[in-house]
Amino acid sequence: MTLIPVKTGEVATVVTRFEMTQRPRPKPLLTSPLRLLRWQSPDPHKYRILFKRVGEHWLWFSRLVISEQELKAIIHDPRVEVYAVVDPKGIEVGLMELDFRTSGCCSVAFFGLVPQLIGQGLGQWLMSQALVSVWRKDVTKIVVETSCIDDPRAMSVYVKAGFVPIERRIDVFPDPRLTGLLPISAAPHVPVLQ
């Protein structure tokens, strides 16, 4: 066994990549008080607000470090679909981003709900919505990644949906709480090394 040192001010996580290469058998769709709302060419500022609300607890930061132009190039691409998950009052409580830029493949780039909704079975509902949205005649593979600092239930949601783990790797990055991208109180389950 080899332990790899992580520098002070960095975070290390194990990332698992999953894929699905066959359309799952049809199942009854799960019901939910939530609904998906497609954001056509979303405003980058509004997108980042929802991205932070959903991902801050899990140290999501990748969309916060790129320029507005780089972000627009992704989320305004016609092959990228961004959905807000909204509650019955119309409040945005989740994010789903589907990336079809690789021919024949869809990457579930971002997928999550605000922390207050976690543990209520709504992730399974969101996954069923994702699978309905993703499987099209030209799609032969779906990929999704999660890390050990994400919700520990994420992997079981993916496996239950029919995804198969295919790769693991270590990701080391500057702690976004120490760079000021996220508040120091974000992700209390991940110790800050300073």
Side-chain angles (χ1 to χ4, degrees), residues 3-192:
L3 294 176
I4 302 167
V6 177
K7 294 177 188 171
T8 299
E10 292 184 335
V11 174
T13 182
V14 176
V15 177
T16 303
R17 182 178 179 89
F18 291 83
E19 74 176 28
M20 182 184 292
T21 57
Q22 294 183 348
R23 182 186 302 257
R25 291 185 176 166
K27 300 181 209 178
L29 280 177
L30 301 171
T31 60
S32 169
L34 306 178
R35 63 185 174 87
L36 286 178
L37 176 65
R38 172 94 187 264
W39 279 358
Q40 299 282 352
S41 299
D43 172 80
H45 179 71
K46 187 175 179 181
Y47 174 94
R48 282 184 168 134
I49 289 171
L50 183 57
F51 180 87
K52 272 183 87 169
R53 285 186 59 223
V54 172
E56 181 176 289
H57 189 74
W58 312 112
L59 293 185
W60 291 7
F61 70 94
S62 62
R63 297 295 203 233
L64 306 176
V65 295
I66 61 176
S67 71
E68 184 170 323
Q69 183 179 0
E70 290 170 302
L71 179 59
K72 278 184 178 180
I74 298 167
I75 63 177
H76 291 181
D77 189 305
R79 297 165 297 170
V80 174
E81 298 178 8
V82 177
Y83 296 86
V85 180
V86 295
D87 72 7
K89 295 179 182 177
I91 298 170
E92 292 141 357
V93 294
L95 175 67
M96 182 173 75
E97 183 179 322
L98 306 176
D99 186 337
F100 295 92
R101 291 179 293 175
T102 300
S103 179
C105 180
C106 176
S107 172
V108 181
F110 292 99
F111 177 89
L113 299 165
V114 294
Q116 299 85 345
L117 295 180
I118 293 176
Q120 301 177 30
L122 297 170
Q124 291 180 18
W125 168 82
L126 185 55
M127 178 52 68
S128 69
Q129 296 297 309
L131 293 177
V132 167
S133 300
V134 166
W135 281 110
R136 302 166 183 183
K137 66 180 180 178
D138 59 336
V139 172
T140 59
K141 178 170 65 173
I142 306 169
V143 296
V144 65
E145 293 182 346
T146 190
S147 82
C148 65
I149 61 174
D150 282 337
D151 188 309
R153 294 169 284 206
M155 287 194 197
S156 64
V157 167
Y158 298 144
V159 169
K160 187 174 181 180
F163 285 91
V164 175
I166 60 162
E167 176 187 32
R168 281 197 186 96
R169 63 187 187 282
I170 305 290
D171 187 14
V172 179
F173 52 88
D175 192 325
R177 297 166 295 188
L178 296 176
T179 63
L181 285 171
L182 297 175
I184 200 75
S185 60
H189 63 289
V190 181
V192 177

